[in-house]
Every structure is written in structure tokens, then in C-alpha cells.
Amino acid sequence: MSVGFGIVGTGMIAQFHAKAIEAITGASLVACFDMVGERADAFGKENGCKAYSNLDEMLANEDVHVVTICTPSGAHLDPAVAAAKAGKHLLVEKPLEITLDRCDQIINACKASGVKLGAILPSRFSQANMALKEAIEQGRFGKLTLGDTFVKWWRSQEYYDSGGWRGTWALDGGGAFMNQAIHNVDLLHWFMGDVSQVIGMTSTIAHERIEVEDVGAATVKFKSGAIGNLEATTCAFPGLLKKTEIHGTTGSVIIEQDSILLWEFEEKRPEDEKLLAECGAGNESTGGASDPKAISFVGHQKQFEDFVAAINENREPMIDGYEGRKSVEVILAIYQSSWEGKRIDLPLASDPVRPE
């Protein structure tokens, strides 16, 4: 069966969804929705799908099996729940939502309707990151000791001024951590395991007319006892490639963007040379470091392929709603720590309250 997709929200990221769907065997883009009819019509015409300005009408289309949510972050909940109630499987752009309560409402709606839910975090699907995860699972690091991740990007003032939702708590849900660095927050807990404690600091330094942070740093403790550091900013000109460093008692790996800068283990293996030849330094793209449009759709394609396979094989996707919720919780804990000036224990009992 060909799996039909419908896209909700026709902004920039929706184009990456459309390209990813087009590249998948056994899938097709059937429909799109935007509350502004002209935008829906333009997107539909460009991508060869039926355009809707009424969400219920799109959800009534029996050829739509999967709905992808591309609205601003704080506007994921309503269309996601509506799609789940209509019996559609769901892929939701990062972050899953901007509070734990809203994440849980999406998760519970999908559970109640018996539909699959995927949180879009395509960095997990890069060859270098998947190889690193496999090395961890094989025990090649010995005891994990330290995990660090850095997202030192640049966003101009024009970027924030280009959309009324950007840089707002209500619709962006946060700044450099929640919007830009969430992919690396997700990678860090995927590699190192669940987080137990957070100490964070955030600030707004370089941009005007935004409510959220454009720079932040946090130290985290993992349940294993290992320690980690996270740095995120949108005011590091000209924008650097994101980087993740994982260290253990018998190995260290550094990945910049999707290229391996260091792959060193006490136990050498023949397949290491092949991996370094395929993923070694020198193949980097800018990865959105200074331009949010300068990303590849291949990560989305791989995640969408896994989601289609999950439907056909009746299994859970690689990144389900519970996994998508974890990075949101870590980031909210960073914000709470910064607001309250103290260490925060996880799991959070409830969503933190932002001071007025």
C-alpha cells in the first residue's frame, strides 16, 4: 500500500517534508493544509498535492494516512490531536511541543486512537551518529564519563523579525536551546542515557524584540553518573558547525556536523577504517549554522522511511513520542534552573513556571 501524507503548515520546513516524501518509495504527498488559503494553494501547486484551508476537510480525505505537523512549535497541539482523533498517524516536527503537558496530550491522543506517533529528530539518522550509538551499545567506550555538545550558530535580527512567532515563549517555546540546539540535546541523551540533574544559565544578548534566550549553557548529570555540558547560541558569528564529543574509559569520539573528527578506541577494529573513509572530516555542509534553509532533507527522508516501515510492519518508529518528549524535558529543566538559580532534578514533576 502506498502511504499518503498530508502536511499541516506550509512554511519553510514543509518544503523539506515534501522533498523527503517525494524521495520515498511507497509514499506520496496527497494533501496540504494552511489556514491562509493562498499559501496552501501555492504549496499545493508547487508540490502537486490537493490544497486545503479547512483542516477537518483534509483530515476527512481517506487517502491521507499520515499527517506531518509543520506549524510553529507552540501550535503543534491542536492539529496533532485533531489528526489523531481522525485516525491519522502523526509525524510532528521538533520540538514535539513546548511544554510537557502539551507533549503528553499529543502522546495520549495517539495512544487513545491507536495511531503511531513520531517526533522528527533526523540527526539520529546520520551515518556518523548511528555508528556512534552502535559503538556505545557494543561497550567500546567502557564506562561513559563525559558527553558534550555545542551548537554555536548565527541568526540575524532579520531572521527573528521575519515571523511574528519567532523568539516568543508562546509559539517558539524558547530560543537557542528549544529551537536550534534541540537536535543535539536529543543526541546527547540518546548517547549518554537519561538525565538526572541540570544546572543551566541563559541570557538574551545580541538580538532585539525577542523574549527568549539567544545564548545558554548547562551542565547535566546522567543517571549513569556521567557528566555532560551543553552550549547553545544564535549569536556566534558567522555560525559554526555543531559538534558532539563523547568520552569513556576506553574510547573517545568527536563528531562535527555529520563528519567524524576523532574515532579512537582502545580496541581497534577493521571496520573503523571504512567508517572513517565514509564519514571522515571534509564532507561537512553548513548544516544551518548561519542559514536555516541550508540543511539537507536526507535526514527527514530516512526518518520518514522508518516511519512508513513502522506502519507496514506494525511496530513503533525509531523515535516515538516518548523519545521526543525527553529533549523537551531537559530543555525545560535548563530554563527552570536559569530562572530559579538552582540545580533541578529530573524527571520534572510539572512544567516550570516562567517568572513574569
Side-chain angles (χ1 to χ4, degrees), residues 143-147 192-197 219-229 247:
K143 288 185 177 179
L144 290 171
T145 55
L146 186 64
M192 299 292 293
D194 289 342
V195 174
S196 62
Q197 292 180 327
T219 296
V220 300
K221 186 173 185 179
F222 300 94
K223 287 185 178 179
S224 67
I227 302 295
N229 293 289
H247 305 281

Side-chain angles (χ1 to χ4, degrees), residues 90-156:
L90 265 173
L91 272 167
V92 183
E93 259 299 337
K94 60 80 184 169
L96 180 60
E97 247 288 355
I98 61 172
T99 70
L100 297 181
D101 176 68
R102 294 170 76 86
C103 287
D104 290 341
Q105 288 186 59
I106 294 174
I107 291 169
N108 292 335
C110 290
K111 186 176 179 180
S113 295
V115 297
K116 300 190 185 303
L117 170 62
I120 298 178
L121 293 160
S123 292
R124 289 198 194 186
F125 289 83
S126 82
Q127 184 180 359
N129 288 329
M130 293 187 79
L132 172 52
K133 177 66 172 179
E134 184 178 10
I136 292 170
E137 292 178 341
Q138 292 172 344
R140 297 190 68 186
F141 284 86
K143 288 185 177 179
L144 290 171
T145 55
L146 186 64
D148 305 321
T149 191
F150 311 99
V151 180
K152 300 178 182 181
W153 283 4
W154 170 253
R155 291 292 183 268
S156 65

Side-chain angles (χ1 to χ4, degrees), residues 74 98 165 167-175 211-213 335 339 354:
I98 61 172
W165 66 277
T168 67
W169 287 110
L171 289 175
D172 222 349
E211 303 169 349
V212 299
E213 86 285 359
Y335 291 158
W339 296 335
R354 180 168 45 88

